[in-house]
Amino acid sequence: MARKKIALIGGGQIGGVLAQLCALRELGDVVMFDIVEGMPQGKMLDIAEASPVDGFDVCLQGTQDYKDIAGSDVVIVTAGLPRKPGMSRDDLIVTNSKIMTSVAEGIKQYAPNAFVIVISNPLDAMVTLCQKITGIPHNRVVGQAGVLDSARFATFIAWELGVSVKDVVAMTLGGHGDDMVPLVRYASVQGIPVMELLEQKYGAEKAKEVMEAMVKRTRLAGGEVVALLKTGSAFYSPASSAIAMAESVLKDQKRVLPTCCYLQGEFGVNGYYVGVPAVLGEKGVENILQFKLDAEEQAMMDKSVAAVKGLVDSLDSILNG
Ligand code: APR
């Protein structure tokens, strides 16, 4: 059986961690494309030279030629500028939509059968653009946002309650902006509602405040890292998150992961990419799991979807104007 092949478009901070994780987990052979001469070749050589130490055996190649991504099963796109302190993800739209246009043309030509995971920001607009240009079916072009946003939420809950992150389940829906929707009602520790545990610890009123603070920190978590790093944005956690999605597809695991998916009526949204729980398997997005939102969650979802629509509309005017 042939080995799986993963193409990484963009070999910067996230791209480098993606390559190392693909290698360590032996997910398949890896090709890293970047426009910077020598850089992807250098990174892949560096990782390959760790293989005898770490004990992985995959082929790693750096390239400036899209031809080399031919036959990829999964393509992960991180090409584009990251944020600097004071910038919102949306401030990147003009530059990154030009970059995404050239990237998507490369994917269309050489890897039209791949499952594509977009990480470049502003995520909801970049994944929309990537699908439009590649023409790859919607269920095979998705964005990574929700796995990371959910992981951030779960991390804060675990720290607050003094429990292992392994036992926390938490999910965010909606767009990858400050209006994302952390689902407080469904956050649990081994099925026990987090709110109940917080109420035991603090009483009802303070429990609400503590949860609100965690929700706020989750929404602004990307910016918190940007402010500390000063020269770029988060890269370890976005890479890990995309790898979970890629692995589910490559190994047909059918994991339920919050994924930026194209919606056709689900959650009352039509024709936009929005974060929802999706079953990821060899066919790509194999199912979207729907459930009833309460009035407050629905209002947050509507606000988040409105922000996504605004972003996608501005994309149209950038491309047409
Ligand atoms: N084609 C391919 N790669 C490109 C192109 C292009 N047209 N233009 C830029 N790149 C490459 C850069 O050379 C750089 O190596 O994209 C890479 C981006 O890497 P970083 O600047 O280190 O950014 P990173 O932290 O990896 O984030 C990438 O993901 O989370 C988002 O907001 C983040 O949009 C940003 C993206």
Side-chain angles (χ1 to χ4, degrees), residues 181-183 185-186 219 267 291-304:
V181 186
L183 286 178
R185 201 160 52 108
Y186 292 103
R219 289 189 163 135
F267 291 93
F291 56 94
K292 266 212 176 105
L293 300 176
D294 68 19
E296 199 184 338
E297 291 156 355
Q298 188 64 54
M300 287 194 284
M301 186 72 161
D302 291 346
K303 191 171 172 213
S304 185

Side-chain angles (χ1 to χ4, degrees), residues 76-129:
I76 307 180
V77 183
T78 61
L81 297 189
R83 291 197 265 174
K84 297 238 164 62
M87 287 174 89
S88 80
R89 293 183 183 91
D90 300 0
D91 293 335
L92 302 168
I93 193 165
V94 175
T95 311
N96 284 358
S97 53
K98 285 186 195 127
I99 293 174
M100 182 56 77
T101 301
S102 71
V103 168
E105 277 160 6
I107 297 172
K108 180 181 181 178
Q109 190 170 357
Y110 292 104
N113 297 318
F115 179 76
V116 181
I117 303 171
V118 175
I119 305 183
S120 311
N121 275 314
L123 191 269
D124 310 291
M126 289 306 104
V127 65
T128 303
L129 182 58

Side-chain angles (χ1 to χ4, degrees), residues 7 9 48 56 58 75 125 130 146 167 181 239 259 263:
I9 314 294
F56 58 79
V58 293
V75 176
C130 183
D167 295 314
V181 186
T259 300
L263 300 186

